[in-house]
Amino acid sequence: MDYSLAVETALQRLHDEGRYRTFIDIVRTQGQFPHAMWRRPDGPETPVTVWCGNDYLGMGQHPDVLAAMHEALDATGAGSGGTRNISGTTAYHKALEAELADLHGKQSALLFTSAYIANDATLSTLPKLFPGLIIYSDELNHASMIEGIRRNGGAKRVFRHNDVAHLRELLAADDPAAPKLIAFESIYSMDGDFGPMAEICDLAEEFNALTYLDEVHAVGMYGPRGGGVAERDGLMDRIDIINGTLAKAYGVMGGYIAASAKMCDAIRSYAPGFIFTTSLPPAVAAGATASVRALKVDQTRRDQHQTQAKILKTRLKGLGLPLIDHGSHIVPVIVGDPVHTKKLSDMLLEDHGIYVQPINFPTVPRGTERLRFTPSPVHGPREMDALVKAMDVLWSHCALNRAELSA
Ligand code: PLP
């Protein structure tokens, strides 16, 4: 085998399909987000406004978070120095787990190095606890859930996105005595739509199934204390395992599950993705704890976030741009092909200093390639005006379709 040629061919395939990904080299400055500098590959640094970050609430720059990280860094040094079982558990990790358990009204929480790992490690481990487990998975679940379910060697059934009738059919077709788990998300990050949580909980109860909920795009942002959509809708106690991230609305890094003490203990004891990897640095755990604490009492920031999303959607819709709006904070504008999406993204960056990454297959289905904007409380009216104006100009420049606007 010509290994080098095989690698080249694989890369060329992506170029040919117009979905080869490039990094945009961003220089961030503390306190300036969403403003940053773009380090052009062949030129000077240019100012840009970041419109595609997942630091949804600007907590990555929050003074409490930075102070907690500085304090822990000075107190303890850089890394944790070990896996959780071998010298890598500190007071900072324990405090964060307690904060997260409290956030979700659960007995325990368990930290992982990311929510990706939390999903993968937990879902791939569950059949060890429940032999014969069947997992019912929404077809649009995140790659980390799909990977965990795929690797676990157990049975899986994929139900059509948000289709509770299909889920019911699948549940009813299986042995009533078989252990079951339904895995889904509260907000699907590419379209910004909500999972039918109450209906899924009803089905879980009827068929004696466990529920597994990914709240990655909701924690910090929904619910009176930022406990996610399950908290907002009063459903936390009906979810057996909640997964969340500390990297998006909380602005730091890391992931977790929150569940009963026994469930967390069992995952802690059986999941290779928890056991055999170095724990988060204490400073990261400290920053995340400060962020979770701050957002538990900062409804104003959550309200500002929703307001910003509403304003941006209203303004883009006013231009007739094809926008998906399910009432969440995510603002996807469908372009519909990878070439135009990349071109728009490139022109926004180069000509307007607006950074929004194109989103292509396999992250979204072909034909629905898009730009996905993430307005936040730290995007002001000036940034919003510049974005809306640039989108208007470029949409015309690329001769893309607009919806008919009523007078
Ligand atoms: N789950 C969902 C739905 C996500 O969108 C993501 C990341 O984008 C993850 C999990 C992984 O989160 P993390 O970045 O903490 O690994």
Side-chain angles (χ1 to χ4, degrees):
M1 169 127 200
D2 183 338
Y3 293 106
S4 170
L5 180 64
V7 171
E8 257 172 53
T9 308
L11 288 171
Q12 192 53 48
R13 207 162 43 234
L14 298 178
H15 282 290
D16 292 346
E17 291 173 11
R19 58 187 186 92
Y20 177 77
R21 294 170 205 233
T22 47
F23 291 144
I24 302 296
D25 196 352
I26 293 291
V27 182
R28 292 170 64 117
T29 306
Q30 193 205 115
Q32 297 300 308
F33 182 75
H35 299 288
M37 299 301 280
W38 168 40
R39 189 169 285 160
R40 290 171 178 260
D42 51 358
E45 287 185 356
T46 329
V48 291
T49 305
V50 179
W51 273 100
C52 58
N54 280 334
D55 184 354
Y56 288 121
L57 299 176
M59 292 302 285
Q61 307 292 329
H62 193 286
D64 290 4
V65 175
L66 300 187
M69 293 187 78
H70 281 298
E71 185 265 344
L73 185 66
D74 292 343
T76 70
S80 77
T83 66
R84 283 296 295 274
N85 287 308
I86 307 179
S87 89
T89 296
T90 67
Y92 296 96
H93 297 87
K94 301 294 283 181
L96 177 52
E97 285 177 339
E99 204 64 62
L100 292 167
D102 170 74
L103 176 69
H104 293 291
K106 300 289 178 199
Q107 290 170 334
S108 278
L110 196 61
L111 274 177
F112 294 80
T113 42
S114 71
Y116 185 105
I117 301 293
N119 272 336
D120 181 55
T122 305
L123 288 166
S124 61
T125 297
L126 287 170
K128 292 184 196 163
L129 311 178
F130 310 108
L133 180 69
I134 305 171
I135 298 188
Y136 302 79
S137 175
D138 187 288
E139 69 176 328
L140 292 191
N141 275 340
H142 187 255
S144 52
M145 296 166 90
I146 295 171
E147 238 351 77
I149 295 166
R150 191 182 63 77
R151 287 198 308 108
N152 75 17
K156 72 160 186 222
R157 318 271 183 254
V158 177
F159 59 95
R160 287 189 293 273
H161 179 53
N162 278 354
D163 186 339
V164 282
H166 189 216
L167 173 59
R168 165 182 283 285
E169 256 174 54
L170 294 174
L171 286 160
D174 281 320
D175 177 1
K180 302 179 176 69
L181 177 137
I182 306 170
F184 65 113
E185 299 183 20
S186 59
I187 299 182
Y188 290 85
S189 66
M190 290 302 138
D191 282 357
D193 54 333
F194 294 86
M197 203 180 299
E199 289 99 314
I200 288 181
C201 290
D202 289 345
L203 281 178
E205 216 167 281
E206 185 181 336
F207 289 91
N208 191 27
L210 295 169
T211 46
Y212 184 101
L213 176 67
D214 177 315
E215 287 257 38
V216 160
H217 291 277
V219 284
M221 293 170 275
Y222 293 81
R225 294 200 313 155
V229 179
E231 186 195 24
R232 183 195 72 180
D233 295 351
L235 294 169
M236 284 197 300
D237 60 333
R238 300 185 73 195
I239 304 291
D240 294 290
I241 304 176
I242 295 177
N243 165 284
T245 187
L246 301 162
K248 299 187 193 292
Y250 291 119
V252 190
M253 192 189 172
Y256 62 91
I257 57 164
S260 69
K262 283 206 174 119
M263 182 71 82
C264 288
D265 195 22
I267 299 297
R268 184 186 76 81
S269 307
Y270 278 92
F274 177 84
I275 300 169
F276 299 107
T277 188
T278 301
S279 63
L280 288 171
V284 170
T289 304
S291 188
V292 174
R293 274 187 194 144
L295 284 181
K296 277 181 180 171
V297 292
D298 194 352
Q299 187 57 36
T300 308
R301 195 176 281 254
R302 270 188 284 283
D303 290 343
Q304 282 169 349
H305 180 220
Q306 293 296 325
T307 303
Q308 289 292 83
K310 278 197 192 97
I311 295 173
L312 181 59
K313 284 192 234 182
T314 306
R315 294 191 63 181
L316 292 176
K317 276 189 210 165
L319 299 175
L321 304 196
L323 187 88
I324 305 181
D325 185 4
H326 290 285
S328 74
H329 60 283
I330 292 165
V331 185
V333 175
I334 303 295
V335 182
D337 74 81
V339 176
H340 274 117
T341 312
K342 170 100 174 63
K343 188 170 171 189
L344 276 172
S345 164
D346 287 348
M347 291 176 84
L348 280 168
L349 184 65
E350 282 160 21
D351 304 340
H352 299 269
I354 288 169
Y355 173 35
V356 57
Q357 196 70 21
I359 300 194
N360 292 329
F361 177 82
T363 310
V364 294
R366 290 183 208 275
T368 71
E369 290 81 2
R370 64 194 67 185
L371 298 174
R372 176 181 172 276
F373 299 100
T374 52
S376 81
V378 292
H379 288 88
R382 214 158 39 88
E383 288 81 23
M384 186 89 80
D385 283 348
L387 171 64
V388 171
K389 206 166 137 213
M391 282 298 282
D392 193 16
V393 168
L394 294 180
W395 211 260
S396 297
H397 178 87
C398 293
L400 293 164
N401 288 335
R402 300 188 192 228
E404 289 295 323
L405 296 178
S406 47

